[in-house]
Amino acid sequence: MIVARAPLRIPLAGGGTDLPFYAEQRGGHLVSVAIDRYAYVVLAARADSDDYLVCCDRVERADALDHIEQSFVREAMRYLRMPGGVAVHCLAEIEGGSGLGVSSSGLVALLCALHAFRRERAAPVVLAQAATFLEREVLDQAGGVQDQYMAAYGGLREIQNTTRANVIIKPLRLEPEVIKALEANLMLFSTGVRRNSDAIVRSQLEQNSEAAVLEHYDKIKEVGLRARESLLAGDLAAFAQTLHQHWILKRRISDRMSSELLDTLYQRGLEAGAISGKVIGAGGGGCLLFYVDEGHERFATAMKRLGLRHVQFRFAWKGAESLWTAFGPP
């Protein structure tokens, strides 16, 4: 039996510039941080059958790999040439559609577990590249590279890419007191509204000319680079303002980025004491992130009254890992 996990992530700056239609022409650059909320995968060898038992989105049994309907499980197992007689269970601390990269973290955790099942230790880059290939090329899901790389590596990092294969990821090294304040002042809330990131990403090019989208993301990257410099300088007040600037820019790209409900909740958060904030991920629902420099408990209570759930977290400094491995007799 194998138990593996991979962290979820919160994009802090430049989110969306890793999308291929922008990165391939202008180069993506973003800052993201992993959090201690995880996607888990449990693998077990079956003693009673050579069939596949998959318990992820739903429970299914399949007598052949091609008959597995849950596509990310099927393609990950095909990619690593896994035989039958395996049970796969997927779990996550936060439901998919939250904007926190749950599906990618689940896939990275699955790949980590499958490698461990084969008694292999996979480096973060191997997991990240495989997950990106499977999601973006094999399954044709729209998106960038941030989710897979953050799930594999963890930590506070900046990511640069020009293609899905040409990715540079490195730590963003901040002073300890800056990290402590940043972690304390970022407050995450679930709206309970689930959304399809694939559809939202595709809508950006459907509703705009390519030139208009590139111009939008030029501005988003510019704000993201200012956010990076503010973090490195320890100027968290300046960093906080870039969150709001990012969101104002991003919500203009597509009418699916926000909604009347999200706009109202965001405004109520500012009125309750947040300096700034944004909707996490592709937009359209999921989680709201606020930067609150004082009165954290009071702010959390105010958001709870609006029907939001406070998702508490710490930064996660480790990426995907196998937590527990137990093999039967050799």
Side-chain angles (χ1 to χ4, degrees), residues 31-323:
V31 175
S32 190
V33 66
I35 61 173
D36 63 348
R37 298 294 182 173
Y38 296 91
Y40 296 85
V41 169
V42 179
L43 289 185
R46 300 189 65 187
D48 61 338
S49 173
D50 289 330
D51 289 351
Y52 299 90
L53 175 63
V54 180
C55 306
C56 293
D57 295 334
R58 58 192 177 280
V59 178
E60 62 172 309
R61 292 175 176 80
D63 58 3
L65 190 61
D66 288 342
H67 297 160
I68 298 175
E69 295 182 3
Q70 294 168 78
S71 58
F72 79 97
V73 176
R74 180 186 66 242
E75 297 307 328
M77 298 187 80
R78 190 197 309 278
Y79 182 77
L80 289 177
R81 299 182 175 86
M82 292 296 296
V86 179
V88 183
H89 296 257
C90 308
L91 310 95
E93 294 184 54
I94 296 176
E95 190 176 353
S98 62
L100 299 172
V102 175
S103 60
S104 296
S105 292
L107 178 54
V108 170
L110 174 59
L111 290 167
C112 181
L114 291 172
H115 277 287
F117 195 84
R118 290 157 45 125
R119 307 194 186 203
E120 300 168 349
R121 188 183 184 98
V125 67
V126 171
L127 298 175
Q129 289 176 343
T132 303
F133 170 74
L134 290 171
E135 279 197 270
R136 306 305 181 217
E137 306 296 334
V138 177
L139 299 175
D140 193 30
Q141 295 182 357
V145 301
Q146 172 190 194
D147 298 357
Q148 300 84 359
Y149 277 78
M150 288 306 301
Y153 281 86
L156 173 62
R157 298 185 182 268
E158 57 180 319
I159 300 172
Q160 297 169 272
N161 73 303
T162 53
T163 67
R164 289 168 175 160
N166 183 14
V167 181
I168 298 171
I169 181 169
K170 55 187 178 182
L172 188 67
R173 303 189 187 281
L174 306 183
E175 294 297 328
E177 62 271 17
V178 176
I179 292 174
K180 182 178 180 180
L182 181 66
E183 186 179 60
N185 292 342
L186 291 173
M187 300 187 70
L188 186 67
F189 295 86
S190 173
T191 66
V193 178
R194 303 296 168 215
R195 85 290 181 275
N196 184 328
S197 62
D198 180 85
I200 294 171
V201 169
R202 294 182 192 278
S203 74
Q204 298 177 37
L205 285 175
E206 293 169 358
Q207 296 182 18
N208 301 276
S209 68
E210 182 178 1
V213 174
L214 290 174
E215 183 180 352
H216 274 299
Y217 277 104
D218 280 342
K219 294 175 182 176
I220 286 173
K221 184 164 75 172
E222 180 184 344
V223 170
L225 291 172
R226 290 206 308 269
R228 174 187 180 274
E229 294 308 311
S230 297
L231 288 171
L232 290 171
D235 188 349
L236 292 181
F239 163 76
Q241 292 306 317
T242 65
L243 293 177
H244 178 75
Q245 293 162 9
H246 172 95
W247 174 237
I248 294 302
L249 288 169
K250 196 161 184 177
R251 68 188 301 281
R252 294 173 182 165
I253 300 176
S254 165
D255 60 12
R256 302 188 67 169
M257 286 287 183
S258 192
S259 65
E260 185 177 348
L261 172 62
L262 289 176
D263 288 344
T264 299
L265 291 172
Y266 180 69
Q267 184 59 38
R268 294 290 293 275
L270 297 181
E271 293 169 358
I275 294 177
S276 67
K278 65 174 184 173
V279 176
I280 292 293
C287 290
L288 280 164
L289 179 71
F290 290 104
Y291 189 91
V292 184
D293 63 352
E294 60 181 7
H296 298 126
E297 290 186 13
R298 182 175 65 252
F299 184 83
T301 299
M303 293 298 98
K304 183 177 180 180
R305 292 195 186 106
L306 295 174
L308 303 185
R309 184 178 182 87
H310 185 199
V311 181
Q312 299 186 57
F313 66 87
R314 302 289 300 274
F315 294 164
W317 299 104
K318 295 178 66 175
E321 59 183 334
S322 177
L323 295 176

